[in-house]
Amino acid sequence: MNERAKEPRAKEPRGKEQRIALRRLFAGTALAVAGTAAMVAVTLPMEASGNGGPPQTRGEAAPHAAATPSPSTTDTGNASGNTSGNAGTGAADPLTDDEITRAQQAALAGDRTLRTTSEDVQGEDGTPQFLTADLTDLTAESSGREGERHADVFFYDYRDDRFVKKTVDLGTGKVVRTDSATGVQPAPSGQESREALKVLLASPLGEGVRQDFQAATGRPLAAPAQLRVQGLVYERSGTAGPADCDGAHRCVRLFTRVVGGPWIDTRQFVIDLSARTAHRLP
């Protein structure tokens, strides 16, 4: 597969001190910032192989991931809205679906560059990838007024692999703060995880997944929708793993499961969503 053509903007340096500062900047949100690929061992809640036996790791000694599995297994990318009402109340109510929609629209409306020159996970020009939105914690804000509600809206711009956070005042509909950084990888949204599965299945490595699905179900894998998927951000440790998955590119690992059935082990694969390529870990 061909890599996505890009003309990247100048990127910030990704030194150790800056990365620590950026991780702190985006900490405390609904997005889990990536650790290293060897940070935590993950054990699937069910047998991960198609035949119901112990996980078939295809040569990987032990599965590792950069964070706890994301709860998003659909394509909504919304991890915080829990009602469909017009507005929540005060500084504690989660964002409603309407507030998330309004915050997302306001975040893009006030930034013509982001709105017109970005790319989403599918490579569509002019639209950054929406990740999620969360209620802003105003307790540390000296300017926060009682009853005021702000929303943090998170995007990923695949044009230059940049994480963008927009803080919107839900009362006025105005953006009150913008933060952006390269070299910081938040947890993937449901839509990104689904797209990563499509990239994997379209690659030569997808044949192993198809074989496992056939063994588990007795029928061929005809469409990605036959699998449920959870994504974890992947960031390589040392020299193991794809070179660009050092935080420069958007890389994920997947946990896949037959709809209504067993897990299919895909932990040994890394999908580089920025380049739209799939790799097997050594």
Side-chain angles (χ1 to χ4, degrees):
M1 287 178 286
N2 295 326
E3 292 192 0
R4 181 179 299 165
K6 295 183 181 181
E7 294 181 2
R9 302 184 186 102
K11 294 187 177 183
E12 300 95 327
R14 292 186 292 108
K16 181 178 179 181
E17 291 184 0
Q18 186 204 37
R19 293 184 65 160
I20 292 174
L22 293 175
R23 291 176 192 276
R24 289 173 179 169
L25 173 64
F26 295 117
T29 70
L31 299 175
V33 177
T36 66
M39 185 174 173
V40 83
V42 174
T43 301
L44 294 181
M46 293 177 58
E47 291 84 353
S49 61
N51 60 14
Q56 302 301 309
T57 57
R58 300 183 190 274
E60 184 182 8
H64 297 95
T68 303
S70 166
S72 58
T73 56
T74 65
D75 293 342
T76 61
N78 171 12
S80 48
N82 65 348
T83 72
S84 57
N86 291 330
T89 303
D93 281 359
L95 296 175
T96 66
D97 292 341
D98 181 71
E99 286 178 319
I100 291 173
T101 299
R102 289 192 289 112
Q104 183 180 355
Q105 292 172 343
L108 293 175
D111 191 332
R112 185 178 182 278
T113 300
L114 184 66
R115 191 176 68 249
T116 60
T117 68
S118 299
E119 287 184 10
D120 65 11
V121 68
Q122 295 179 321
E124 295 293 331
D125 292 334
T127 308
Q129 180 64 43
F130 172 64
L131 301 180
T132 191
D134 200 12
L135 188 68
T136 306
D137 181 6
L138 294 177
T139 57
E141 299 287 339
S142 59
S143 59
R145 295 185 294 273
E146 185 176 355
E148 198 173 62
R149 286 172 67 81
H150 290 181
D152 291 329
V153 188
F154 303 92
F155 299 96
Y156 195 84
D157 180 1
Y158 276 87
R159 180 179 181 271
D160 56 8
D161 285 292
R162 183 168 56 108
F163 180 39
V164 180
K165 172 184 173 183
K166 296 274 188 179
T167 302
V168 177
D169 184 329
L170 292 169
T172 64
K174 296 184 179 300
V175 174
V176 297
R177 177 169 177 166
T178 298
D179 296 297
S180 69
T182 57
V184 176
Q185 295 292 342
S189 67
Q191 184 176 356
E192 288 176 302
S193 297
R194 297 301 305 181
E195 191 65 21
L197 177 61
K198 293 178 183 178
V199 172
L200 174 60
L201 293 177
S203 76
L205 296 176
E207 182 58 30
V209 180
R210 297 179 192 279
Q211 291 174 1
D212 286 351
F213 184 92
Q214 179 87 38
T217 66
R219 63 183 189 275
L221 178 60
Q226 291 173 269
L227 292 169
R228 293 181 65 83
V229 62
Q230 291 178 291
L232 299 178
V233 69
Y234 172 86
E235 191 171 335
R236 75 172 186 162
S237 176
T239 58
D244 288 327
C245 292
D246 60 352
H249 278 191
R250 189 84 164 123
C251 298
V252 301
R253 296 176 76 180
L254 299 176
F255 290 77
T256 55
R257 183 180 184 180
V258 177
V259 174
W263 293 85
I264 302 294
D265 190 7
T266 55
R267 294 170 295 173
Q268 70 276 29
F269 301 127
V270 172
I271 296 87
D272 183 337
L273 282 170
S274 299
R276 298 189 69 81
T277 54
H279 307 265
R280 186 194 298 272
L281 291 174

